[in-house]
């Protein structure tokens, strides 16, 4: 077993998603503003890249589940175990399991394409009736630059030389899946709760990445409203990364049940 420690930082306190602010998060029963789940994933990627290097970011698949929130200043204890070519990463803080990640070489399966959606004339506040399963979002382009990549690495205390050489940090990769959601809707307070990721090739600083997104499911559980977004990153027309990104876009207000 390998153990890595780092400190969680809530760098999103002033962003549009107010679940990262202390006051709004407290209203939903949390102890403070939540550290972004994509950052927790970024911390958890450290031992995998340390062991597997570029291979992990070019031919593996990973499933990460975010079970409990991390708060600013939490000491994250990240444990990495292996069984053959299967890897498990667990993230604990406050003696609680916050997140778990399972990863293995990617299955050799075809990729179902996503057609680019029609241009949107507005970015409405999200509502159940305005989330249309199987209706693609407008496509858009992302060109990661060196400054963005360095910031993504620094936010999760990752100084691996791979990222200084121009490989895009997995924190930046999953953060862009969040942006695919927030470009389409205004989301006042929402939670990223898990992702399935398939890496097909490295993403590098300077790549022109076309981002295509389609909702594939929505459901309600215990008052929360969930959505699965399927997201493809294409470089020169070829799939580099595919993601199924699961979020709670409407958090149950427990105050209504008091």
């Amino acid at each position: 077993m390998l153990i890595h420690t780092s400190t969680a930082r809530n760098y999103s306190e002033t962003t549009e998603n107010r679940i990262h602010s202390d006051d709004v998060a407290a209203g939903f029963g949390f102890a403070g503003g939540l550290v972004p789940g994509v950052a927790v994933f970024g911390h958890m990627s450290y031992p995998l890249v340390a062991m597997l290097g570029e291979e992990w970011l070019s031919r593996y698949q990973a499933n990460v589940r975010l079970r409990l929130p991390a708060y600013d200043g939490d000491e994250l204890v990240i444990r990495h175990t292996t069984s053959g070519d299967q890897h498990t990463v667990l993230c604990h803080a406050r003696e609680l399991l916050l997140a778990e990640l399972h990863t293995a070489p990617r299955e050799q399966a075809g990729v179902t394409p996503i057609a680019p959606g029609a241009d949107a004339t507005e970015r409405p506040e999200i509502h159940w009736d305005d989330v249309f399963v199987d209706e693609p979002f407008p496509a858009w382009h992302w060109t990661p630059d060196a400054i963005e990549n360095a910031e993504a690495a620094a936010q999760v205390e990752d100084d691996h030389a791979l990222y200084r050489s121009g490989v895009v940090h997995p924190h930046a990769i999953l953060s862009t899946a969040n942006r695919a959601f927030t470009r389409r809707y205004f989301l006042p307070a929402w939670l990223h709760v898990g992702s399935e990721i398939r890496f097909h090739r490295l993403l590098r600083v300077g790549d022109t990445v076309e981002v295509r997104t389609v909702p594939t499911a929505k459901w309600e559980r215990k008052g929360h409203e969930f959505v699965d977004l399927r997201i493809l990153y294409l470089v020169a027309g070829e799939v580099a990364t595919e993601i199924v990104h699961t979020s709670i876009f409407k958090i149950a207000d427990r105050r209504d049940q008091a």
Side-chain angles (χ1 to χ4, degrees):
M1 176 187 293
L2 298 176
I3 298 177
H4 169 67
T5 60
S6 56
T7 302
R9 295 299 179 195
N10 181 14
Y11 56 82
S12 293
E13 186 175 2
T14 61
T15 59
E16 184 177 88
N17 182 5
R18 303 311 296 146
I19 202 65
H20 301 304
S21 67
D22 288 342
D23 54 344
V24 172
F28 287 106
F30 296 107
L34 276 58
V35 169
V38 294
V40 174
F41 168 76
H43 285 280
M44 296 173 75
S45 72
Y46 185 93
L48 294 167
V49 174
M51 176 175 285
L52 299 169
E54 292 184 3
E55 185 178 17
W56 187 63
L57 290 164
S58 57
R59 72 174 197 92
Y60 270 64
Q61 59 190 31
N63 185 322
V64 60
R65 287 292 172 259
L66 303 165
R67 300 192 175 281
L68 291 171
Y71 298 112
D72 188 75
D74 274 349
E75 181 184 35
L76 304 180
V77 180
I78 296 162
R79 295 178 172 88
H80 173 208
T81 58
T82 61
S83 177
D85 58 5
Q86 312 288 312
H87 299 254
T88 298
V89 180
L90 302 180
C91 177
H92 289 80
R94 311 184 307 277
E95 300 184 351
L96 300 169
L97 176 62
L98 304 190
E100 59 183 291
L101 186 158
H102 301 278
T103 186
R106 173 174 46 81
E107 297 173 358
Q108 298 301 315
V111 180
T112 303
I114 299 173
D119 289 342
T121 58
E122 59 181 3
R123 187 174 73 111
E125 182 170 340
I126 197 163
H127 185 274
W128 177 270
D129 293 335
D130 293 325
V131 177
F132 302 105
V133 171
D134 296 331
E135 184 174 300
F137 294 176
W140 56 285
H141 290 87
W142 166 48
T143 302
D145 62 34
I147 293 174
E148 174 188 6
N149 202 41
E151 288 178 348
Q155 286 168 346
V156 296
E157 299 185 343
D158 194 340
D159 61 357
H160 199 290
L162 196 66
Y163 309 121
R164 296 195 298 275
S165 73
V167 173
V168 176
H169 198 284
H171 176 208
I173 292 173
L174 211 56
S175 293
T176 301
N178 278 355
R179 289 172 58 201
F181 199 14
T182 60
R183 283 176 62 93
R184 180 65 183 87
Y185 298 103
F186 169 60
L187 296 121
W190 64 286
L191 295 169
H192 166 220
V193 295
S195 295
E196 298 175 15
I197 309 158
R198 293 165 64 90
F199 298 115
H200 292 262
R201 53 149 283 184
L202 287 177
L203 288 174
R204 294 186 178 275
V205 166
D207 281 343
T208 298
V209 183
E210 183 179 3
V211 182
R212 297 189 183 185
T213 308
V214 63
T216 56
K218 64 177 182 178
W219 67 98
E220 185 272 339
R221 186 170 68 232
K222 296 182 179 179
H224 301 304
E225 294 179 4
F226 292 78
V227 66
D228 275 346
L229 300 180
R230 183 167 176 266
I231 304 167
L232 296 182
Y233 300 163
L234 297 97
V235 177
E238 298 293 328
V239 174
T241 310
E242 55 180 321
I243 299 170
V244 176
H245 209 52
T246 303
S247 303
I248 299 174
F249 64 88
K250 183 178 179 182
I251 306 168
D253 191 341
R254 303 305 183 192
R255 293 168 298 183
D256 293 341
Q257 302 173 19

